Amino acid sequence: MISLQGVKPFAEGGNRLCFIHPNNNKLCLKISKPEVIEKLYLNAPWYKKLRMKRSFDDNYREERAYKQRAIKENPKKIWKHLARWYEFIETSEGLASCTELITNNDKIALNLEEYLSKNGRTPEIDEALGEFEIFLKKTKLLTKNIIPHNLAVKENISGLTIKIIDGLGSMSFIPLPEISSSFANMYVKRRIELMYSRIEWDLSGRKGSWK
């Protein structure tokens, strides 16, 4: 078991806390908030409560998302734009999903929301977004709505690279994008449209709606 006593999370989302692995600063430990899982379960319609409670846990949802077809069919190139998922690890704070920690010069990489807030929409980030868009279309990688804070900005000698660090998986109630290439194409295209809409919404001061 990994002890996280006295270790502060470097990031916190609505559902999980993120820690740097105390024995390996290249790894991220994501721990779900028990109270959120309980709330999601209690507020779910009756038919969803027929499932195991862990189906409401983002860690198990993430594990399942990493088993999708796009990753199995692209075992090498997929990781250029996706943080690796390794395993579950028991910690003093609960079960953790262990993933690749994206860094730049040994510092945690800015997420896209932070980058845009600091630098605006630069030519470099536009080029990185264009490359990311092509990647999504080619691989048909299924994600939830692509939110800027779920994307890390990796610095390379050749420029910037966008990497998904959270939000993997399909939002479709009926899993047609998971079994049909044509539905996957439509699904991914819509996620890309919403990604750019969300970026513009963030840059505009979050006025109105981005969906």
Side-chain angles (χ1 to χ4, degrees), residues 80-99:
K80 181 176 181 180
H81 294 283
L82 176 63
R84 291 178 180 270
W85 187 94
Y86 295 109
E87 61 181 339
F88 285 127
I89 294 178
E90 290 286 352
T91 79
S92 58
E93 304 303 309
L95 187 68
S97 181
C98 182
T99 65

Side-chain angles (χ1 to χ4, degrees), residues 36-47:
V36 173
I37 298 172
E38 186 66 23
K39 184 178 180 180
L40 289 172
Y41 176 77
L42 292 174
N43 292 337
W46 68 269
Y47 56 89

